[in-house]
Amino acid sequence: MATADASGPLRSVKEHPRATVAVLSVVGYALVLGTFAGVVPGFPTLTEGEVNLLSHAIAAVNAVTTVSLVLGWRWIRRGEVRKHAGAMSASFGLIMLFLVLYLTKVGGGPGEKHIVIESGMFLGAYADAVYWGYIGMLAVHILLSVVSVPVVLYAIVLGWTHTPEELRTETPHRRVGRIAAGTWILSLTLGVVTYLMLNWVYGYEFVRVAG
């Protein structure tokens, strides 16, 4: 956690947390959108097998992050501030690792995997309902991933630039952190569930990107 005598760049961030979050959010959104648009260079060319390995790694990172977030939430409810801060910082580090892996998969991959649900599979008789359930969870996962970025960053910036006492008395960290953790946990959980459905419960077809 931060100390009360923060100076230099850290003091500037402490005094202007919302502006800092706005800049970081814009940079993050631009990086992701630029990768999807194919204008961000430097990604290695991946095979379908390598894309699958990255998918497994991403799911593992998301699962560990979810556990870390739940522990952090539990610890702060018990008043164990130091453990809470460590868990949330670890979660943020893991989500940065996720971002690197995800952008590498998107930027270097030859296409996308689309779920395939056949009659002989689990709940295959209800393939349409399962398919739209999968699409709905995926949509909520993506939406929460997008809208939670500034909220998560705000909670993290406040946590890293203020003392525990300042966080309690001078900032909305508790309220913002509750929203950030809740949306983050739900988004990650849905991401893991849709990963399991796509890669292990049902099948998929690899749709290559034209060009």
Side-chain angles (χ1 to χ4, degrees):
M1 305 298 287
T3 59
D5 60 345
S7 60
L10 185 60
R11 184 174 186 82
S12 179
V13 171
K14 180 178 181 179
E15 293 176 348
H16 307 284
R18 292 183 181 179
T20 301
V21 169
V23 171
L24 292 176
S25 298
V26 169
V27 171
Y29 288 140
L31 183 60
V32 173
L33 291 175
T35 300
F36 271 99
V39 298
V40 178
F43 294 107
T45 300
L46 303 175
T47 65
E48 292 183 23
E50 290 168 335
V51 168
N52 282 332
L53 286 176
L54 282 175
S55 296
H56 302 329
I58 287 169
V61 169
N62 284 347
V64 174
T65 305
T66 304
V67 172
S68 180
L69 286 168
V70 171
L71 287 174
W73 197 330
R74 182 180 182 185
W75 282 327
I76 198 60
R77 289 177 65 87
R78 292 182 173 184
E80 299 181 76
V81 175
R82 192 175 297 275
K83 287 183 178 180
H84 166 77
M88 293 312 186
S89 294
S91 298
F92 186 73
L94 286 168
I95 213 64
M96 290 298 99
L97 174 59
F98 155 80
L99 185 61
V100 171
L101 295 174
Y102 180 73
L103 292 182
T104 300
K105 182 170 78 79
V106 171
E112 299 179 354
K113 294 195 291 186
H114 292 187
I115 194 168
V116 174
I117 305 170
E118 299 177 349
S119 59
M121 296 177 174
F122 177 66
L123 296 178
Y126 308 96
D128 286 344
V130 173
Y131 173 79
W132 287 111
Y134 167 84
I135 293 298
M137 288 189 289
L138 186 61
V140 173
H141 161 66
I142 294 172
L143 178 62
L144 290 178
S145 298
V146 173
V147 301
S148 68
V149 168
V151 185
V152 169
L153 285 174
Y154 191 37
I156 290 291
V157 167
L158 291 177
W160 282 353
T161 58
H162 292 74
T163 65
E165 180 62 25
E166 289 172 337
L167 289 174
R168 286 192 297 270
T169 61
E170 301 177 13
T171 76
H173 178 74
R174 180 177 181 178
R175 174 170 52 83
V176 173
R178 188 183 298 116
I179 296 171
T183 55
W184 203 355
I185 289 171
L186 179 56
S187 174
L188 290 171
T189 300
L190 290 176
V192 172
V193 170
T194 52
Y195 157 81
L196 291 173
M197 291 178 67
L198 178 65
N199 292 275
W200 299 101
V201 178
Y202 301 105
Y204 62 83
E205 59 179 353
F206 207 95
V207 179
R208 291 184 171 273
V209 176

